[in-house]
Amino acid sequence: MMPLPTGVELDPLLTVLRTLSWQSADILLAYARSEQPPYGHCRALTVADGGEGPVTAADLAVNKQLLEGLANAFPAAPWNLISEETAKDQALDPQYQWRWILDPLDGTKDFLQGTGEYAVHLALVQQQRPVLGVVLIPERQELWLGLLLDGIGSAWCENRAGVKKPVEFSNRQELAELVLVASRNHRDQRLEQLLQQLEIGSCLTVGSVGCKVAAILRGDADVYVSLSGETAPKDWDMAAPEAVLRAAGGGFSHADGKALAYNSSSFLQAGCLIASHGHSHQLLCERAAKAMASIDPGFQI
């Protein structure tokens, strides 16, 4: 794995990411509480393509804060930036080996419902693989950071004061004792069948993908399964959570063991994707692949 892009040093980059992340937390917390957002953002924005007012305003405000903040801090860096909010109007430029992938608000329904289970995802990807991930969970005051540089992984959590705590995977290994973390909003019959066949011990319901992976990193859960339904997740759903989880030593792959690949023209992350604390990852993948062969024989895992 290559180091960071030419002219970019790790410590200054992390300093900027911390500042921008907590600014993003301030913005989202203000919108979530119907308060005036800071940093010059409007309380209500008119969005031509619809949306739920404050949610769309929050998306766009965080999007602007992060993209402009990175561009201003590193004006000469050899990377470009793509976001869920801009991807439909932005073609991938093949001249860039490095790209930031942003989801300014992952877990929109949970944001609306007031569960607190929403997150900001930001990942630095080299060609098709993530090397740095940021998962911010504003309501818990958690900033998860993961680095995969020069073949070495490290991950940790910080609070707003900069106090760090390590990843604490559970020691559960047998499938019957694992805790699955699952969505309350995105489930279909095939997923229910797959989960039954995996025979995992218990289930924890959580919103955003970032929040799900954080539950694994804290040891509250052990495995997350994404099975494409009517729509598949996108790069910005998976890149940052994957980077942090894998940097911590966990597993995140397709059920056939293949790595996720980013920066395709569709941005789709389709198939049967499994994220885990790593202890039982290979067994989970084997069981899932076998189960999907009977549940949906033509499904590309």
Side-chain angles (χ1 to χ4, degrees), residues 75-93:
W79 58 41
N80 71 346
L81 304 95
I82 196 157
S83 159
E84 180 180 17
E85 305 308 315
T86 63
K88 65 182 180 181
D89 301 317
Q90 185 177 2
L92 290 176
D93 189 336

Side-chain angles (χ1 to χ4, degrees), residues 26-42:
D26 292 338
I27 293 167
L28 290 174
L29 290 169
Y31 278 114
R33 289 152 177 71
S34 300
E35 298 171 355
Q36 175 62 47
Y39 313 115
H41 295 288
C42 297

